[in-house]
Amino acid sequence: MDTLAFPRTHYLNAEYGLKSWLLTTDHKRIGLLFLGAISLFFILGGIFAGLIRLELLTPPGDLVSDDTYNKLFTMHGIVMVFMFLIPSIPAVMGNFFVPIMIGARDLAFPRLNLLSWYIFMTGGLFTLYAIVTGGVDTGWTFYTPFSTLSSHSNVMTAAIGIFIIGFSSILTGLNFIVTIHTMRAPGMTWFRMPLFLWAMYATSLINVLATPVLAITIFAVALERALHMGIFDPAYGGDPVLFQHLFWFYSHPAVYIMILPAMGVVSEVIAAFSRKSIFGYKFVAFSSLAIAVFGFLVWGHHMFVAGMSVYGAMIFSVLSFLVAVPSAVKVFNWTATLYKGSISYQTPMLYALGFIGLFTIGGLTGLFLASLGVDVHVTDTYFVVAHFHYIMVGGAIMGYLGGLHYWWPKMTGRMYPDMWGRVAAVVTFLGFNLTFFPQFVLGYMGMPRRYHAYPPEFQALNVLSTAGASIMGIGYLIPAIYLLWSLKYGAIAGNNPWGAKGLEWEIPSPPPTFNFDKTPVVTEPAYAYETREK
Amino acid sequence: MEHVIVPRSTYYTIFAVLVVMTGVTTGVAFFDLGLANPVIALSIAVFKASLVVLFFMHLKYRSRLTWVVAGAAVFWLGILLVLILSDYTTRGWAWF
């Protein structure tokens, strides 16, 4: 039985004062800095989403003007994608747990890690400035020639913000790759690593390989907007479809930057709460790398109706189907892990199970969109909106919340009320489905995305969607309350409240500044639950 | 890893080559060679980039792992170019 005493000194009380946080090189504190920042951005992005849903409650555009509506969905997308989802699990839980899970005292480059937070905040502030001084109306995709020629909103300020934020992703990715390669504890072989680390590694590869292309693309937009260099604008001899190629070369893999870490979390949680090792560990590990690599080959499916060659579209369509294979490997293997497991339905497990169901729906509808004929019918409709929210909200955010609930006791040393956790997970799941399932139907019926007014026959489904959004909002509010409450009033967690395997559960909660008194030696595979309980 | 000290003369030589090749790029641009213009300009650019990576960024003196990392970056650039060209080169093809 683990002791339930709160450790006398740990990373949270080792030093006090603002300076000790702003100049920290402790990966755990930097993880918390990111947690604070992205939580604020999540609230901001959520407010934009709320306003969008309120506007769509009624058919006419009666709450905001069409211009304002364009800015609302643009800023919702920019904030949620670049300032919340992409950094979410890697920058918070990756920073906190990658070193601990491999048995190291910190990341390979601690100061670079702090720099990545400052870069993120600088980019975030640029984007916030663009928002408060009038906003952006191009959509989060910044498509040319509108973004370079026609838009009179704060395109460049927002683009510079995203350009800067990208360097934060690159530095975090670089740090994780070097750390995982060089700082694993004795006995922590590649195939003894928890699957969360494989997911972090695969995500980092995408971060390092794809993000520079986004930076170059934004730079090219700036050159064209400022100096009228002909790159994307036909008026100057450029090609707008080239922008889409370059943008999606980053932004489709960015979907996997968002979802792969959540898949890593789900592997940890499924194993811990079914008391079994992950079925087909190596397949799940390699499927992360396969998703990272295949993810680079499929971007053209965003452009089937953009004027690209039909033959090019056929190639991208076939390649897009490939990604389903490693994704399905994961879903089948998690399901097989549950078989004959000793399953308990605590909060993190409910989020993980929710992830599997919602991700599967999001993934399968992605195959509809990879099919050339169907895509022509539903491009730029609410079907697409529903599809990617099933991946990014139903998948990535459910994974994020699952991970946060799983590791919260380790990060803070305190338990949250599990009953409220389970209530929140169920409310979020129900609210999410009520919000986004009607959007599949709306889209298939022909309701286009990015319009602030719509014909009356679409109202019933839109009312359902808005009602679901408010339920989902409550589902997010409940954890915000009880997690903050737990910091002061939560029961003491002890080293290993879940009885889970992994190096992070062998050290005190909260961990000491340098994680381990002496370097651990790993002698068994990850998830050796069966071994322990025999 | 062994730390290689590169003689200063190497850097000066590479710098001189880069300047000369920049001049060649500019000079060639004054002649209308049709499709050969971009081919020559891009070839010179690749050659210059290789010199920078090999000598100024010390890839020539580094371990095979560093070569793998650099090679992966080039390979990924290849993915970008090949798949973009799968669109551009087939746009004029007749639809069966």
Side-chain angles (χ1 to χ4, degrees), chain A residues 314-346:
Chain A
M314 284 164 62
I315 292 171
F316 279 115
S317 176
V318 171
L319 290 171
S320 297
F321 277 83
L322 276 181
V323 182
V325 176
S327 304
V329 165
K330 284 188 187 293
V331 170
F332 289 136
N333 283 22
W334 290 325
T335 313
T337 304
L338 294 171
Y339 179 65
K340 289 193 175 175
S342 175
I343 297 171
S344 56
Y345 295 100
Q346 282 156 300

Side-chain angles (χ1 to χ4, degrees), chain A residues 209 239 241-242 245-246 249 293 296-297 299 307-312 314-316 319, chain B residues 65 69 72-73 76-77 79-81 83-84 86-88 90-96:
Chain A
L209 288 166
D239 178 9
V241 177
L242 179 63
H245 275 299
L246 295 174
F249 182 82
V293 173
F296 277 96
L297 310 177
W299 78 82
M308 73 185 296
S309 131
V310 177
Y311 293 95
M314 284 164 62
I315 292 171
F316 279 115
L319 290 171
Chain B
L65 179 63
V69 173
W76 251 254
L77 179 66
I79 292 175
L80 175 69
L81 295 177
L83 283 175
I84 286 182
S86 80
D87 169 20
Y88 283 96
T90 59
R91 277 196 196 169
W93 288 14
W95 184 226
F96 49 80

Side-chain angles (χ1 to χ4, degrees), chain A residues 390-449:
Chain A
Y390 264 81
I391 297 289
M392 292 180 186
V393 183
I397 298 185
M398 292 292 269
Y400 172 75
L401 287 172
L404 200 60
H405 283 83
Y406 181 55
W407 282 309
W408 186 261
K410 180 56 60 182
M411 295 163 82
T412 66
R414 300 277 183 179
M415 295 301 289
Y416 50 83
D418 193 57
M419 189 274 288
W420 279 108
R422 282 183 276 180
V423 167
V426 172
V427 168
T428 306
F429 182 82
L430 295 176
F432 172 84
N433 280 296
L434 189 57
T435 308
F436 291 106
F437 197 84
Q439 295 184 10
F440 278 125
V441 185
L442 279 169
Y444 200 77
M445 287 165 66
M447 177 163 165
R449 63 191 291 202

